[in-house]
Structures are given as structure tokens and as C-alpha cells.
């Protein structure tokens, strides 16, 4: 007569049955009352940041195109360009950066003298001077829509509300 269950299989089946009957290994759903953010150590709800970029005006598009014609002789493909911008949107210093514009609270555009289409952008909140710790906040970057040589930068304070912050921007191009 053929044997259908080996000794090990029977032991495993018996162990599973025992655990099931005693409640071991079974997940039990528990309901808990949510604690306020102050008690849980988690940040509270943040105000929604504005989504989207301001539209590019024809004058801005023309200036960006003109900047593409003035490529610096020092520009080398595969190099790093950068800009240091004040909270007021003033370009303080940089390499291959042509201009900076502030659109509203925490919204900026930085134009470079070469195409950034396949580039990567990195930004951080940084003091415009060489002396001080910058104000707390966060920064995000994206390609400037409709402008191949522009970067859109958005800064917020620690609560997530749009706020003017000075920043440093680095652009890496292939």
C-alpha cells in the first residue's frame, strides 16, 4: 500500500493545527483612537503647497532664447553650473547662470546660458552671504515649463507654507 503522508508532513500539519487552535499566528485587528499630532510626535497637517508654475510670458521666453545664444566659452558639456539666489530673487553669483526672477512667495525661475533638457538639478536652502546659517525650510526644483534653459524653484518654510528663502542651485548637464 502506498504512503500518502510522510512523517515530517504529518508533524508540520499537526503543528499548524495546534497553532491555529491556540490562536498563535493569527492576526487580530485592533481599533485604536488616533492621537493628536502633538501627542504622537508626528507633524500635523500641512497646508497644501501651490501646485504648478506661473506661465511663461512671451518676453520671458524671448530673454531665455537670447541667453541660449550667449553660451559661455567656458561651458563644457558634462559640467556643473550653479546659481546663488537671494530670497528677493536676485542672482548674487553663479557659473553659467544668466538671471533669476521671483514670481511670488517662494516661487523663482533661474535661467542659464545653455540647454538643461537632459540635466539634473539639486538645490538647498542656503544663506546668500558667506557667514550665516540659513533660515529653516524646504526647497524643490523642476524644469521650467516652456523654457529649455530654465529651472523652477519653490521654497517653503518648515510648516510647508510658501515662503521666500535664499537658495543655492546646482545643475549637472550630460
Amino acid at each position: 500500500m502506498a504512503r500518502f503522508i510522510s512523517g515530517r508532513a504529518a508533524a508540520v500539519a499537526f503543528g499548524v493545527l495546534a497553532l491555529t487552535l491556540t490562536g498563535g499566528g493569527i492576526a487580530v485587528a485592533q481599533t485604536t483612537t488616533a492621537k493628536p499630532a502633538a501627542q504622537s510626535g508626528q507633524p500635523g497637517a500641512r497646508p497644501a503647497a501651490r501646485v504648478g508654475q506661473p506661465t511663461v510670458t512671451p518676453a520671458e521666453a524671448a530673454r531665455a532664447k537670447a541667453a541660449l545664444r550667449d553660451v559661455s566659452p567656458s561651458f563644457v558639456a558634462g559640467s556643473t553650473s550653479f546659481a546663488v539666489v537671494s530670497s528677493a530673487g536676485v542672482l548674487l553669483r553663479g557659473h553659467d547662470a544668466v538671471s533669476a526672477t521671483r514670481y511670488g512667495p517662494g516661487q523663482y525661475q533661474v535661467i542659464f546660458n545653455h540647454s538643461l533638457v537632459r540635466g539634473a538639478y539639486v538645490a538647498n536652502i542656503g544663506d546668500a552671504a558667506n557667514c550665516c546659517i540659513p533660515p529653516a525650510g524646504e526647497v524643490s526644483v523642476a524644469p521650467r515649463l516652456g523654457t529649455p534653459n530654465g529651472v523652477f524653484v519653490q521654497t517653503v518654510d518648515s510648516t510647508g507654507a510658501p515662503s521666500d528663502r535664499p537658495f543655492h542651485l546646482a545643475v549637472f548637464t550630460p
Side-chain angles (χ1 to χ4, degrees):
M1 180 169 237
R3 207 169 157 190
F4 292 108
I5 300 175
S6 70
R8 282 189 185 158
V12 169
F14 181 73
V16 169
L17 179 64
L19 283 173
T20 303
L21 292 176
T22 60
I26 296 175
V28 178
Q30 295 179 349
T31 57
T32 58
T33 308
K35 295 180 181 178
Q39 292 178 0
S40 68
Q42 298 294 319
R46 292 182 143 189
R50 282 185 288 202
V51 178
Q53 301 178 13
T55 57
V56 177
T57 65
E60 289 175 335
R63 284 194 303 269
K65 263 188 190 172
L68 280 173
R69 287 190 293 265
D70 298 329
V71 176
S72 168
S74 66
F75 174 71
V76 176
S79 65
T80 303
S81 303
F82 73 92
V84 176
V85 180
S86 73
S87 59
V90 176
L91 177 64
L92 299 173
R93 61 186 179 273
H95 179 66
D96 296 327
V98 175
S99 66
T101 305
R102 178 186 171 272
Y103 286 107
Q107 292 188 329
Y108 305 90
Q109 166 186 280
V110 181
I111 299 292
F112 290 86
N113 64 3
H114 56 89
S115 177
L116 309 174
V117 173
R118 293 179 44 223
Y121 323 112
V122 178
N124 66 310
I125 302 295
D127 190 62
N130 290 326
C131 69
C132 309
I133 296 174
E138 299 171 23
V139 62
S140 56
V141 295
R144 180 68 169 120
L145 298 177
T147 309
N149 56 330
V151 179
F152 181 75
V153 179
Q154 186 167 340
T155 59
V156 296
D157 62 15
S158 294
T159 66
S163 182
D164 294 334
R165 297 286 190 256
F167 60 91
H168 297 199
L169 172 66
V171 178
F172 305 95
T173 53

